[in-house]
Amino acid sequence: MTEPDEARDTPLRPFVLTRGRAATRRGLTVDTLLSTAPADAPLRVDAPPQARDLLTLCRRGVLSVAEAAAHLRLPVSVVLVLADDLITSHHLTARAGSTSTAPTPSLLQEVLDGLRQL
């Protein structure tokens, strides 16, 4: 039999954390910016602890989905679903992270020049 601390530290499978969902309804991406919604309604009693942690984290400031996943030590796919649920319940708001799909050639040249100087 395992000790209580060992059982708590055992990671759950991502599909358990997301209740079997793997996709979002809103097309969120890793660079989507998350922030708390103006109305600070309490979470439902059956909200998973990871959703509570995500909401607490976003109360500190705007974070991308990737940053939130790193802080929470969760897969990005799980954070995407949790964020989608919190947006649906009006606890979080989302903004598109980057507006361009590819870096400009001038930016790429600057990066290349900087790397060559190293």
Side-chain angles (χ1 to χ4, degrees):
M1 185 177 232
T2 61
E3 295 295 319
D5 290 337
E6 292 175 19
R8 186 177 44 218
D9 293 338
T10 303
L12 293 173
R13 297 277 191 194
F15 65 85
V16 173
L17 297 174
T18 62
R19 299 178 181 149
R21 287 184 38 222
T24 63
R25 297 177 213 97
R26 295 182 168 67
L28 303 175
T29 61
V30 295
D31 63 342
T32 298
L33 299 175
L34 302 172
S35 60
T36 54
D40 196 19
L43 277 175
R44 292 176 28 169
V45 175
D46 64 343
Q50 294 81 7
R52 293 182 186 284
D53 293 343
L54 177 58
L55 186 58
T56 300
L57 189 63
C58 290
R59 283 186 178 131
R60 297 180 193 159
V62 177
L63 285 176
S64 71
V65 170
E67 290 171 316
H71 284 289
L72 297 172
R73 296 181 180 175
L74 291 171
V76 171
S77 59
V78 170
V79 175
L80 285 168
V81 173
L82 293 174
D84 189 56
D85 290 344
L86 289 170
I87 293 165
T88 299
S89 65
H90 305 290
H91 289 92
L92 290 181
T93 59
R95 293 183 305 215
S98 63
T99 55
S100 66
T101 57
T104 63
S106 62
L107 176 62
L108 291 175
Q109 186 62 49
E110 286 180 42
V111 171
L112 184 59
D113 292 342
L115 289 172
R116 285 184 178 148
Q117 290 177 2
L118 294 177

